[in-house]
Amino acid sequence: MLCRAVKSTFMELLKIGKYEFSSRLITGTGKQVPYPLMRQCIDAAGAELVTVAMRRIPQDEPAGMTLLDNLTGLNLLPNTALCFTAKDAILTAQLAREALQTDLIKLEVIGDQDTLYPDNEELLIAARELVKDGFTVLPYCIDDPIICRKLEDLGCAAVMPLAAPIGSGQGIRNVTNLQIIIEKANIPVIVDAGVGTASDAVIAMELGASAVLMQTAIFGAKQPVQMAQAMKLAIHSGYLAARAGRIPKKLYATASSPDTGLVEAR
Amino acid sequence: MTKYKTESKSGLEFEFCYLFFHPLPTIFYKLQEMRIVVNGQEYQTEARTAAELLQELQTPEVGTAIALNGEVVRKSQLSQTTLPEGSKIEIVRAVQGG
């Protein structure tokens, strides 16, 4: 009995395509964060899957400790960040697969510099091509149930709707859309982008999200390691709360102590 | 001695040297520098293959990848893949990101 009670506080494995993870918090690898601090944050967050970007090698780059040396033991999720066309995203994905020996790809096809919102048309083109090419595709997409359904139909392994614009920290701006996406999807829904603090991650998980992906919320915090820990707890907390089942919201109060046997002064 | 210089598409420069009283023309091969574009920048190289270029640029083997004119070159194909004049090359590695 005790054993079962303890076991029920564990999270089920997160399944993305043929991959399984015991952590439901996916993190970035910081932007210009010193490698030791980056690794501390990732470990504090308990992340097993971390995103990296693919960029041209500068000709004058000094040899030394590389990013990969600091990410040993972790699964890499290369992204196609800041690709503005399906063509660029596809080539970036193919280069990432060759460089990092993984078919996982966080597919981003951006449509606009200011909002960094995805370009739906280009995203669908790239997703179709990459699925056909054997990739495990995790597309970053708008919080729209229709685009999520189309991406699922194309064979993506998960969908990653945004909570709010990348790096904005606004939290979940469209709770009802996210609810619909989660209810309709038959693949993991990973909330990606826009999380600002731990409560945002809890809400995402309470809504039934399979995982949350974040970068700025952790690495942009004043105390990144502490925030990483907070996020780990938030993900776990939200996951358990979602399965525990919340009480319905009511307009009026219901006494939480017995309303019989009350003392009378006169 | 008369010299005829020809430039071939492959970038090899042939020097046909007809020596007096020589029964056969002697051919000297000289590797000529070739212009390509690496990561958006003009680059002069003597490298003939993708493998030679990566060696010339001292690109680490692990964690990197190269594309030639929009096509990824698999690691197993690097030494068989020749670089035509004016090739557009992308060489990448992973960096921090979200």
Side-chain angles (χ1 to χ4, degrees), chain B residues 3-72:
Chain B
K3 272 189 178 181
Y4 298 93
K5 263 193 176 178
T6 53
E7 278 189 24
S8 76
K9 266 195 174 169
S10 70
L12 289 173
E13 186 181 292
F14 301 99
E15 286 182 8
F16 297 95
C17 302
Y18 297 94
L19 301 166
F20 289 112
F21 313 116
H22 200 285
L24 288 164
T26 316
I27 299 174
F28 295 97
Y29 290 98
K30 198 181 104 194
L31 281 176
Q32 189 205 19
E33 289 222 323
M34 176 176 71
R35 293 170 84 82
I36 57 174
V37 179
V38 178
N39 287 343
Q41 287 190 318
E42 288 254 345
Y43 186 74
Q44 295 255 2
T45 182
E46 283 186 5
R48 297 291 136 206
T49 66
E52 282 172 28
L53 179 67
L54 290 175
Q55 202 171 23
E56 190 177 293
L57 292 169
Q58 296 181 309
T59 307
E61 264 179 54
V62 177
T64 61
I66 179 171
L68 165 60
N69 295 329
E71 297 282 335
V72 174

Side-chain angles (χ1 to χ4, degrees), chain A residues 234-254:
Chain A
I235 297 292
H236 204 144
S237 165
Y239 175 89
L240 292 179
R243 273 136 197 93
R246 63 155 301 142
I247 58 160
K249 286 184 187 179
K250 287 182 293 188
L251 189 58
Y252 292 102
T254 311

Side-chain angles (χ1 to χ4, degrees), chain A residues 6 49 72 74 76 81 110 122 124 157 184 190 198-199 201 220-221 258 266:
Chain A
V6 170
L49 184 61
T72 48
L74 299 166
L76 300 179
I110 302 299
E122 293 290 305
L124 290 171
K184 296 274 186 191
I190 301 168
S199 54
R266 296 195 282 157

